[in-house]
mmCIF file of all heavy atoms in Angstrom:
data_model
loop_
_atom_site.group_PDB
_atom_site.id
_atom_site.type_symbol
_atom_site.label_atom_id
_atom_site.label_comp_id
_atom_site.label_asym_id
_atom_site.label_seq_id
_atom_site.Cartn_x
_atom_site.Cartn_y
_atom_site.Cartn_z
ATOM 1 N N VAL A 122 0.861 -1.181 0.000
ATOM 2 C CA VAL A 122 0.000 0.000 0.000
ATOM 3 C C VAL A 122 0.896 1.230 0.000
ATOM 4 O O VAL A 122 2.012 1.194 0.524
ATOM 5 C CB VAL A 122 -0.942 -0.008 1.241
ATOM 6 C CG1 VAL A 122 -0.158 -0.105 2.536
ATOM 7 C CG2 VAL A 122 -1.864 1.197 1.276
ATOM 8 N N ILE A 123 0.443 2.303 -0.632
ATOM 9 C CA ILE A 123 1.176 3.575 -0.580
ATOM 10 C C ILE A 123 0.286 4.631 0.053
ATOM 11 O O ILE A 123 -0.880 4.802 -0.334
ATOM 12 C CB ILE A 123 1.644 4.054 -1.969
ATOM 13 C CG1 ILE A 123 2.559 3.016 -2.629
ATOM 14 C CG2 ILE A 123 2.400 5.380 -1.846
ATOM 15 C CD1 ILE A 123 3.147 3.472 -3.962
ATOM 16 N N LEU A 124 0.844 5.342 1.030
ATOM 17 C CA LEU A 124 0.174 6.464 1.676
ATOM 18 C C LEU A 124 0.671 7.754 1.023
ATOM 19 O O LEU A 124 1.877 7.951 0.870
ATOM 20 C CB LEU A 124 0.508 6.493 3.174
ATOM 21 C CG LEU A 124 0.398 5.181 3.941
ATOM 22 C CD1 LEU A 124 0.892 5.364 5.380
ATOM 23 C CD2 LEU A 124 -1.032 4.658 3.922
ATOM 24 N N PHE A 125 -0.247 8.606 0.634
ATOM 25 C CA PHE A 125 0.094 9.915 0.040
ATOM 26 C C PHE A 125 -0.432 11.003 0.973
ATOM 27 O O PHE A 125 -1.643 11.119 1.166
ATOM 28 C CB PHE A 125 -0.566 10.081 -1.331
ATOM 29 C CG PHE A 125 -0.055 9.154 -2.399
ATOM 30 C CD1 PHE A 125 -0.578 7.874 -2.548
ATOM 31 C CD2 PHE A 125 0.940 9.563 -3.278
ATOM 32 C CE1 PHE A 125 -0.120 7.016 -3.543
ATOM 33 C CE2 PHE A 125 1.398 8.707 -4.286
ATOM 34 C CZ PHE A 125 0.869 7.442 -4.417
ATOM 35 N N ASP A 126 0.484 11.771 1.563
ATOM 36 C CA ASP A 126 0.078 12.826 2.494
ATOM 37 C C ASP A 126 0.153 14.182 1.794
ATOM 38 O O ASP A 126 1.207 14.795 1.709
ATOM 39 C CB ASP A 126 0.979 12.806 3.730
ATOM 40 C CG ASP A 126 0.516 13.795 4.797
ATOM 41 O OD1 ASP A 126 -0.594 14.344 4.654
ATOM 42 O OD2 ASP A 126 1.269 14.011 5.764
ATOM 43 N N GLU A 127 -0.973 14.614 1.240
ATOM 44 C CA GLU A 127 -1.078 15.888 0.512
ATOM 45 C C GLU A 127 0.066 16.029 -0.509
ATOM 46 O O GLU A 127 0.845 16.985 -0.466
ATOM 47 C CB GLU A 127 -1.103 17.057 1.498
ATOM 48 C CG GLU A 127 -2.237 16.910 2.499
ATOM 49 C CD GLU A 127 -2.769 18.239 3.030
ATOM 50 O OE1 GLU A 127 -2.354 19.286 2.516
ATOM 51 O OE2 GLU A 127 -3.608 18.199 3.924
ATOM 52 N N PRO A 128 0.170 15.098 -1.444
ATOM 53 C CA PRO A 128 1.344 15.049 -2.324
ATOM 54 C C PRO A 128 1.458 16.204 -3.305
ATOM 55 O O PRO A 128 2.517 16.396 -3.891
ATOM 56 C CB PRO A 128 1.153 13.732 -3.079
ATOM 57 C CG PRO A 128 -0.325 13.490 -3.058
ATOM 58 C CD PRO A 128 -0.788 14.012 -1.732
ATOM 59 N N THR A 129 0.389 16.967 -3.495
ATOM 60 C CA THR A 129 0.460 18.072 -4.471
ATOM 61 C C THR A 129 0.381 19.451 -3.828
ATOM 62 O O THR A 129 0.471 20.453 -4.526
ATOM 63 C CB THR A 129 -0.689 17.955 -5.501
ATOM 64 O OG1 THR A 129 -1.938 17.988 -4.800
ATOM 65 C CG2 THR A 129 -0.590 16.667 -6.298
ATOM 66 N N SER A 130 0.256 19.519 -2.502
ATOM 67 C CA SER A 130 -0.034 20.830 -1.896
ATOM 68 C C SER A 130 1.174 21.766 -1.897
ATOM 69 O O SER A 130 1.018 22.969 -1.733
ATOM 70 C CB SER A 130 -0.583 20.668 -0.485
ATOM 71 O OG SER A 130 0.338 20.004 0.324
ATOM 72 N N ALA A 131 2.389 21.229 -2.085
ATOM 73 C CA ALA A 131 3.572 22.092 -2.139
ATOM 74 C C ALA A 131 3.959 22.462 -3.568
ATOM 75 O O ALA A 131 4.979 23.104 -3.785
ATOM 76 C CB ALA A 131 4.750 21.405 -1.441
ATOM 77 N N LEU A 132 3.135 22.067 -4.540
ATOM 78 C CA LEU A 132 3.493 22.240 -5.949
ATOM 79 C C LEU A 132 2.824 23.462 -6.559
ATOM 80 O O LEU A 132 1.716 23.843 -6.185
ATOM 81 C CB LEU A 132 3.075 21.002 -6.753
ATOM 82 C CG LEU A 132 3.682 19.661 -6.336
ATOM 83 C CD1 LEU A 132 3.136 18.556 -7.221
ATOM 84 C CD2 LEU A 132 5.198 19.704 -6.404
ATOM 85 N N ASP A 133 3.508 24.041 -7.546
ATOM 86 C CA ASP A 133 2.865 25.073 -8.357
ATOM 87 C C ASP A 133 1.723 24.427 -9.138
ATOM 88 O O ASP A 133 1.806 23.254 -9.523
ATOM 89 C CB ASP A 133 3.876 25.670 -9.342
ATOM 90 C CG ASP A 133 4.948 26.480 -8.635
ATOM 91 O OD1 ASP A 133 4.665 26.981 -7.536
ATOM 92 O OD2 ASP A 133 6.067 26.581 -9.169
ATOM 93 N N PRO A 134 0.669 25.207 -9.419
ATOM 94 C CA PRO A 134 -0.526 24.618 -10.049
ATOM 95 C C PRO A 134 -0.244 23.830 -11.323
ATOM 96 O O PRO A 134 -0.842 22.778 -11.538
ATOM 97 C CB PRO A 134 -1.398 25.845 -10.339
ATOM 98 C CG PRO A 134 -1.010 26.829 -9.297
ATOM 99 C CD PRO A 134 0.464 26.611 -9.062
ATOM 100 N N GLU A 135 0.699 24.298 -12.147
ATOM 101 C CA GLU A 135 0.919 23.595 -13.417
ATOM 102 C C GLU A 135 1.621 22.250 -13.215
ATOM 103 O O GLU A 135 1.658 21.423 -14.128
ATOM 104 C CB GLU A 135 1.695 24.463 -14.421
ATOM 105 C CG GLU A 135 3.137 24.737 -14.053
ATOM 106 C CD GLU A 135 3.311 26.017 -13.243
ATOM 107 O OE1 GLU A 135 2.326 26.490 -12.644
ATOM 108 O OE2 GLU A 135 4.433 26.543 -13.219
ATOM 109 N N MET A 136 2.198 22.037 -12.048
ATOM 110 C CA MET A 136 2.876 20.761 -11.773
ATOM 111 C C MET A 136 1.956 19.734 -11.115
ATOM 112 O O MET A 136 2.304 18.560 -11.021
ATOM 113 C CB MET A 136 4.079 20.991 -10.857
ATOM 114 C CG MET A 136 5.182 21.802 -11.485
ATOM 115 S SD MET A 136 6.455 22.156 -10.278
ATOM 116 C CE MET A 136 7.443 23.332 -11.204
ATOM 117 N N VAL A 137 0.801 20.187 -10.648
ATOM 118 C CA VAL A 137 -0.090 19.291 -9.907
ATOM 119 C C VAL A 137 -0.536 18.125 -10.780
ATOM 120 O O VAL A 137 -0.480 16.960 -10.365
ATOM 121 C CB VAL A 137 -1.307 20.067 -9.364
ATOM 122 C CG1 VAL A 137 -2.379 19.115 -8.840
ATOM 123 C CG2 VAL A 137 -0.866 21.031 -8.261
ATOM 124 N N ASN A 138 -0.937 18.431 -12.019
ATOM 125 C CA ASN A 138 -1.502 17.381 -12.874
ATOM 126 C C ASN A 138 -0.494 16.300 -13.233
ATOM 127 O O ASN A 138 -0.855 15.130 -13.363
ATOM 128 C CB ASN A 138 -2.100 17.988 -14.153
ATOM 129 C CG ASN A 138 -3.455 18.611 -13.880
ATOM 130 O OD1 ASN A 138 -4.109 18.280 -12.889
ATOM 131 N ND2 ASN A 138 -3.868 19.525 -14.728
ATOM 132 N N GLU A 139 0.788 16.674 -13.371
ATOM 133 C CA GLU A 139 1.773 15.653 -13.743
ATOM 134 C C GLU A 139 1.932 14.625 -12.623
ATOM 135 O O GLU A 139 2.203 13.449 -12.880
ATOM 136 C CB GLU A 139 3.112 16.286 -14.128
ATOM 137 C CG GLU A 139 3.836 17.042 -13.046
ATOM 138 C CD GLU A 139 5.018 17.840 -13.593
ATOM 139 O OE1 GLU A 139 4.849 18.627 -14.533
ATOM 140 O OE2 GLU A 139 6.119 17.670 -13.035
ATOM 141 N N VAL A 140 1.743 15.044 -11.381
ATOM 142 C CA VAL A 140 1.793 14.101 -10.256
ATOM 143 C C VAL A 140 0.480 13.321 -10.153
ATOM 144 O O VAL A 140 0.487 12.098 -9.971
ATOM 145 C CB VAL A 140 2.094 14.857 -8.942
ATOM 146 C CG1 VAL A 140 1.970 13.929 -7.736
ATOM 147 C CG2 VAL A 140 3.496 15.463 -8.994
ATOM 148 N N LEU A 141 -0.641 14.011 -10.304
ATOM 149 C CA LEU A 141 -1.939 13.317 -10.247
ATOM 150 C C LEU A 141 -2.076 12.295 -11.376
ATOM 151 O O LEU A 141 -2.683 11.233 -11.181
ATOM 152 C CB LEU A 141 -3.088 14.325 -10.311
ATOM 153 C CG LEU A 141 -3.237 15.264 -9.106
ATOM 154 C CD1 LEU A 141 -4.407 16.208 -9.324
ATOM 155 C CD2 LEU A 141 -3.398 14.504 -7.795
ATOM 156 N N ASP A 142 -1.488 12.591 -12.531
ATOM 157 C CA ASP A 142 -1.549 11.631 -13.646
ATOM 158 C C ASP A 142 -0.825 10.333 -13.280
ATOM 159 O O ASP A 142 -1.297 9.238 -13.604
ATOM 160 C CB ASP A 142 -0.927 12.233 -14.914
ATOM 161 C CG ASP A 142 -1.823 13.278 -15.559
ATOM 162 O OD1 ASP A 142 -3.006 13.365 -15.176
ATOM 163 O OD2 ASP A 142 -1.328 14.019 -16.435
ATOM 164 N N VAL A 143 0.320 10.452 -12.620
ATOM 165 C CA VAL A 143 1.050 9.258 -12.185
ATOM 166 C C VAL A 143 0.220 8.478 -11.164
ATOM 167 O O VAL A 143 0.110 7.249 -11.226
ATOM 168 C CB VAL A 143 2.421 9.644 -11.585
ATOM 169 C CG1 VAL A 143 3.084 8.447 -10.906
ATOM 170 C CG2 VAL A 143 3.346 10.203 -12.668
ATOM 171 N N MET A 144 -0.398 9.200 -10.220
ATOM 172 C CA MET A 144 -1.214 8.546 -9.195
ATOM 173 C C MET A 144 -2.430 7.861 -9.816
ATOM 174 O O MET A 144 -2.806 6.756 -9.411
ATOM 175 C CB MET A 144 -1.636 9.567 -8.144
ATOM 176 C CG MET A 144 -0.459 10.071 -7.317
ATOM 177 S SD MET A 144 -0.886 11.509 -6.302
ATOM 178 C CE MET A 144 -2.096 10.796 -5.192
ATOM 179 N N THR A 145 -3.025 8.502 -10.819
ATOM 180 C CA THR A 145 -4.170 7.904 -11.517
ATOM 181 C C THR A 145 -3.757 6.615 -12.217
ATOM 182 O O THR A 145 -4.476 5.604 -12.187
ATOM 183 C CB THR A 145 -4.748 8.905 -12.532
ATOM 184 O OG1 THR A 145 -5.138 10.092 -11.842
ATOM 185 C CG2 THR A 145 -5.960 8.333 -13.250
ATOM 186 N N SER A 146 -2.570 6.634 -12.821
ATOM 187 C CA SER A 146 -2.045 5.443 -13.488
ATOM 188 C C SER A 146 -1.818 4.309 -12.488
ATOM 189 O O SER A 146 -2.154 3.153 -12.752
ATOM 190 C CB SER A 146 -0.740 5.804 -14.206
ATOM 191 O OG SER A 146 -0.049 4.644 -14.592
ATOM 192 N N LEU A 147 -1.282 4.634 -11.320
ATOM 193 C CA LEU A 147 -1.076 3.624 -10.278
ATOM 194 C C LEU A 147 -2.408 3.016 -9.851
ATOM 195 O O LEU A 147 -2.531 1.800 -9.666
ATOM 196 C CB LEU A 147 -0.391 4.238 -9.055
ATOM 197 C CG LEU A 147 1.069 4.638 -9.177
ATOM 198 C CD1 LEU A 147 1.540 5.256 -7.859
ATOM 199 C CD2 LEU A 147 1.934 3.450 -9.531
ATOM 200 N N ALA A 148 -3.401 3.885 -9.674
ATOM 201 C CA ALA A 148 -4.720 3.409 -9.250
ATOM 202 C C ALA A 148 -5.304 2.454 -10.280
ATOM 203 O O ALA A 148 -5.859 1.410 -9.934
ATOM 204 C CB ALA A 148 -5.662 4.595 -9.026
ATOM 205 N N SER A 149 -5.144 2.787 -11.565
ATOM 206 C CA SER A 149 -5.713 1.929 -12.619
ATOM 207 C C SER A 149 -4.975 0.592 -12.701
ATOM 208 O O SER A 149 -5.522 -0.394 -13.181
ATOM 209 C CB SER A 149 -5.691 2.646 -13.967
ATOM 210 O OG SER A 149 -4.375 2.864 -14.395
ATOM 211 N N ASP A 150 -3.737 0.560 -12.181
ATOM 212 C CA ASP A 150 -2.979 -0.699 -12.129
ATOM 213 C C ASP A 150 -3.311 -1.519 -10.884
ATOM 214 O O ASP A 150 -2.728 -2.587 -10.685
ATOM 215 C CB ASP A 150 -1.471 -0.415 -12.144
ATOM 216 C CG ASP A 150 -0.991 0.081 -13.491
ATOM 217 O OD1 ASP A 150 -1.755 -0.043 -14.475
ATOM 218 O OD2 ASP A 150 0.141 0.598 -13.580
ATOM 219 N N GLY A 151 -4.204 -1.003 -10.039
ATOM 220 C CA GLY A 151 -4.645 -1.776 -8.882
ATOM 221 C C GLY A 151 -3.856 -1.555 -7.607
ATOM 222 O O GLY A 151 -3.995 -2.316 -6.643
ATOM 223 N N MET A 152 -3.008 -0.498 -7.569
ATOM 224 C CA MET A 152 -2.258 -0.215 -6.346
ATOM 225 C C MET A 152 -3.206 0.220 -5.219
ATOM 226 O O MET A 152 -4.110 1.024 -5.444
ATOM 227 C CB MET A 152 -1.232 0.902 -6.613
ATOM 228 C CG MET A 152 -0.511 1.432 -5.392
ATOM 229 S SD MET A 152 0.442 0.204 -4.473
ATOM 230 C CE MET A 152 1.845 -0.063 -5.555
ATOM 231 N N THR A 153 -3.010 -0.340 -4.038
ATOM 232 C CA THR A 153 -3.767 0.098 -2.862
ATOM 233 C C THR A 153 -3.205 1.441 -2.413
ATOM 234 O O THR A 153 -2.002 1.568 -2.176
ATOM 235 C CB THR A 153 -3.637 -0.931 -1.721
ATOM 236 O OG1 THR A 153 -3.934 -2.233 -2.225
ATOM 237 C CG2 THR A 153 -4.584 -0.604 -0.586
ATOM 238 N N MET A 154 -4.068 2.455 -2.317
ATOM 239 C CA MET A 154 -3.610 3.808 -2.019
ATOM 240 C C MET A 154 -4.513 4.463 -0.988
ATOM 241 O O MET A 154 -5.729 4.325 -1.043
ATOM 242 C CB MET A 154 -3.603 4.657 -3.313
ATOM 243 C CG MET A 154 -2.621 4.152 -4.352
ATOM 244 S SD MET A 154 -2.943 4.723 -6.056
ATOM 245 C CE MET A 154 -2.940 6.490 -5.895
ATOM 246 N N VAL A 155 -3.866 5.165 -0.055
ATOM 247 C CA VAL A 155 -4.577 6.044 0.877
ATOM 248 C C VAL A 155 -4.064 7.445 0.598
ATOM 249 O O VAL A 155 -2.862 7.712 0.719
ATOM 250 C CB VAL A 155 -4.313 5.666 2.348
ATOM 251 C CG1 VAL A 155 -5.056 6.614 3.286
ATOM 252 C CG2 VAL A 155 -4.727 4.216 2.616
ATOM 253 N N VAL A 156 -4.957 8.342 0.192
ATOM 254 C CA VAL A 156 -4.538 9.657 -0.302
ATOM 255 C C VAL A 156 -5.227 10.758 0.506
ATOM 256 O O VAL A 156 -6.453 10.880 0.489
ATOM 257 C CB VAL A 156 -4.895 9.830 -1.800
ATOM 258 C CG1 VAL A 156 -4.338 11.154 -2.323
ATOM 259 C CG2 VAL A 156 -4.386 8.654 -2.624
ATOM 260 N N VAL A 157 -4.409 11.547 1.213
ATOM 261 C CA VAL A 157 -4.903 12.763 1.849
ATOM 262 C C VAL A 157 -4.695 13.893 0.848
ATOM 263 O O VAL A 157 -3.569 14.139 0.399
ATOM 264 C CB VAL A 157 -4.131 13.067 3.152
ATOM 265 C CG1 VAL A 157 -4.568 14.402 3.739
ATOM 266 C CG2 VAL A 157 -4.335 11.945 4.170
ATOM 267 N N THR A 158 -5.770 14.568 0.464
ATOM 268 C CA THR A 158 -5.628 15.570 -0.599
ATOM 269 C C THR A 158 -6.729 16.619 -0.541
ATOM 270 O O THR A 158 -7.790 16.402 0.052
ATOM 271 C CB THR A 158 -5.645 14.878 -1.990
ATOM 272 O OG1 THR A 158 -5.350 15.859 -3.002
ATOM 273 C CG2 THR A 158 -6.988 14.235 -2.294
ATOM 274 N N HIS A 159 -6.426 17.775 -1.169
ATOM 275 C CA HIS A 159 -7.436 18.816 -1.394
ATOM 276 C C HIS A 159 -7.932 18.794 -2.847
ATOM 277 O O HIS A 159 -8.732 19.646 -3.235
ATOM 278 C CB HIS A 159 -6.844 20.197 -1.100
ATOM 279 C CG HIS A 159 -6.499 20.403 0.343
ATOM 280 N ND1 HIS A 159 -7.454 20.574 1.314
ATOM 281 C CD2 HIS A 159 -5.311 20.447 0.973
ATOM 282 C CE1 HIS A 159 -6.861 20.729 2.486
ATOM 283 N NE2 HIS A 159 -5.561 20.653 2.305
ATOM 284 N N GLU A 160 -7.441 17.839 -3.630
ATOM 285 C CA GLU A 160 -7.781 17.791 -5.058
ATOM 286 C C GLU A 160 -9.105 17.037 -5.241
ATOM 287 O O GLU A 160 -9.139 15.822 -5.365
ATOM 288 C CB GLU A 160 -6.661 17.106 -5.843
ATOM 289 C CG GLU A 160 -5.310 17.806 -5.769
ATOM 290 C CD GLU A 160 -5.320 19.156 -6.455
ATOM 291 O OE1 GLU A 160 -6.157 19.361 -7.349
ATOM 292 O OE2 GLU A 160 -4.479 19.998 -6.090
ATOM 293 N N MET A 161 -10.189 17.799 -5.265
ATOM 294 C CA MET A 161 -11.516 17.178 -5.279
ATOM 295 C C MET A 161 -11.821 16.477 -6.611
ATOM 296 O O MET A 161 -12.494 15.446 -6.624
ATOM 297 C CB MET A 161 -12.597 18.224 -4.984
ATOM 298 C CG MET A 161 -12.474 18.833 -3.606
ATOM 299 S SD MET A 161 -12.586 17.596 -2.284
ATOM 300 C CE MET A 161 -11.458 18.313 -1.097
ATOM 301 N N ASN A 162 -11.328 17.024 -7.712
ATOM 302 C CA ASN A 162 -11.574 16.363 -8.999
ATOM 303 C C ASN A 162 -10.896 15.004 -9.039
ATOM 304 O O ASN A 162 -11.460 14.033 -9.553
ATOM 305 C CB ASN A 162 -11.087 17.243 -10.161
ATOM 306 C CG ASN A 162 -11.975 18.448 -10.367
ATOM 307 O OD1 ASN A 162 -13.153 18.418 -10.014
ATOM 308 N ND2 ASN A 162 -11.420 19.516 -10.916
ATOM 309 N N PHE A 163 -9.678 14.943 -8.504
ATOM 310 C CA PHE A 163 -8.970 13.664 -8.408
ATOM 311 C C PHE A 163 -9.761 12.692 -7.529
ATOM 312 O O PHE A 163 -9.958 11.522 -7.886
ATOM 313 C CB PHE A 163 -7.573 13.883 -7.827
ATOM 314 C CG PHE A 163 -6.840 12.604 -7.504
ATOM 315 C CD1 PHE A 163 -6.156 11.904 -8.486
ATOM 316 C CD2 PHE A 163 -6.842 12.103 -6.203
ATOM 317 C CE1 PHE A 163 -5.485 10.721 -8.186
ATOM 318 C CE2 PHE A 163 -6.178 10.923 -5.899
ATOM 319 C CZ PHE A 163 -5.503 10.231 -6.892
ATOM 320 N N ALA A 164 -10.230 13.179 -6.385
ATOM 321 C CA ALA A 164 -11.003 12.326 -5.470
ATOM 322 C C ALA A 164 -12.223 11.758 -6.176
ATOM 323 O O ALA A 164 -12.530 10.565 -6.071
ATOM 324 C CB ALA A 164 -11.418 13.119 -4.231
ATOM 325 N N ARG A 165 -12.903 12.601 -6.907
ATOM 326 C CA ARG A 165 -14.131 12.164 -7.574
ATOM 327 C C ARG A 165 -13.833 11.160 -8.687
ATOM 328 O O ARG A 165 -14.566 10.196 -8.892
ATOM 329 C CB ARG A 165 -14.862 13.378 -8.138
ATOM 330 C CG ARG A 165 -16.137 12.994 -8.844
ATOM 331 C CD ARG A 165 -17.130 14.128 -8.861
ATOM 332 N NE ARG A 165 -18.474 13.594 -9.020
ATOM 333 C CZ ARG A 165 -19.571 14.233 -8.697
ATOM 334 N NH1 ARG A 165 -19.512 15.409 -8.141
ATOM 335 N NH2 ARG A 165 -20.746 13.691 -8.883
#
């Protein structure tokens, strides 16, 4: 399992998506993830 503790909150806005894209790819591969985040679109 991977824990993500607000992984994008220290990033400039244009860098957020490049990290969320990697996380989305991990999720689609079946990785167990616990994600603390303010990114509501990602959550949804």
Side-chain angles (χ1 to χ4, degrees):
V122 56
I123 301 184
L124 313 175
F125 293 86
D126 186 10
E127 303 209 8
T129 59
S130 60
L132 300 179
D133 292 334
E135 68 269 20
M136 294 174 189
V137 168
N138 282 339
E139 64 190 53
V140 173
L141 293 180
D142 286 347
V143 170
M144 292 169 65
T145 302
S146 166
L147 289 179
S149 66
D150 289 346
M152 172 60 73
T153 310
M154 296 160 56
V155 179
V156 185
V157 175
T158 187
H159 294 288
E160 299 293 336
M161 297 301 146
N162 288 334
F163 172 83
R165 180 155 204 159

